[in-house]
């Protein structure tokens, strides 16, 4: 028995189906390559960000400030300081300053305490970032010890008290009569655990 023969119309129909399938396969390969490149770029952004911050000093807000002898000479006036904190929405921490108001003599060491409690049933890692009001005051508050210098890991229900040690620069302009030092605490994704 002879093999079945295809008509010209059937051949044309089969050939018209093959090119779109090949085009679809090529498109699929291109899309997979693009997706892999995007994933690789996103993955590489983390170490690139750290290197850029180290080289440019962008992340210096969470490093200890340096003092020289002249910074530790008490000035004549006082500045009123307010201490505050906020927590990222959804972060199950309670952060509060144990002292909310204080009169500070520029050029002297000051220590205040912040209490942090993990109110959840899971381990959570957070990072605090300082904020100053007025913004210009940031140049004049020299932090020497702060929980904001490192990420903090808290077990479920854990509570700790952290000192914040600083000196207000004696060259603080007289136009700044009060300073607010507030910390905003953020969750560090991927650093927590089940406990």
């Amino acid at each position: 028995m002879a093999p079945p023969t295809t008509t010209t119309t059937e051949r044309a129909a089969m050939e018209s189906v093959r090119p779109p399938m090949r085009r679809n396969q090529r498109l699929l390969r291109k899309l997979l390559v693009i997706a892999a490149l995007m994933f690789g770029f996103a993955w590489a952004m983390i170490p690139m960000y750290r290197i850029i911050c180290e080289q440019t000093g962008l992340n210096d807000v969470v490093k200890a400030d340096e003092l020289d002898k002249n910074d530790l000479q008490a000035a004549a006036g006082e500045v009123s300081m307010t201490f505050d904190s906020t927590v990222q929405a959804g972060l199950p921490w309670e952060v509060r300053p144990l002292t909310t108001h204080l009169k500070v003599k520029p050029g002297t060491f000051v220590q205040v305490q912040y209490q942090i409690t993990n109110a959840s049933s899971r381990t959570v890692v957070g990072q605090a970032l300082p904020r100053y009001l007025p913004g210009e005051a940031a140049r004049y508050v020299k932090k020497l010890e702060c929980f904001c210098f490192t990420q903090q890991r808290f077990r479920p229900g854990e509570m700790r008290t952290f000192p914040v040690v600083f000196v207000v620069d004696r060259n603080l302009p007289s136009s700044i009569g009060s300073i607010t030092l507030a910390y905003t605490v953020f969750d560090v994704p991927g650093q927590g655990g089940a406990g």
Side-chain angles (χ1 to χ4, degrees), residues 50-63:
R50 286 186 184 134
I51 291 168
I52 290 168
C53 286
E54 287 172 8
Q55 297 300 316
T56 62
L58 286 175
N59 213 10
D60 281 350
V61 294
V62 291
K63 289 171 48 177

Side-chain angles (χ1 to χ4, degrees), residues 88 91 93 116 123-129 147-154 160 184-189 191-192:
Q88 170 191 8
L91 180 62
W93 281 13
I116 302 176
T123 297
V124 180
V125 177
Q127 175 73 54
L129 294 176
F147 60 97
C148 65
F149 294 156
T150 58
Q151 295 176 355
Q152 303 296 330
R153 177 181 296 272
F154 277 73
R160 283 190 265 161
T184 303
V185 182
F186 297 94
D187 184 23
V188 180
Q191 297 295 312

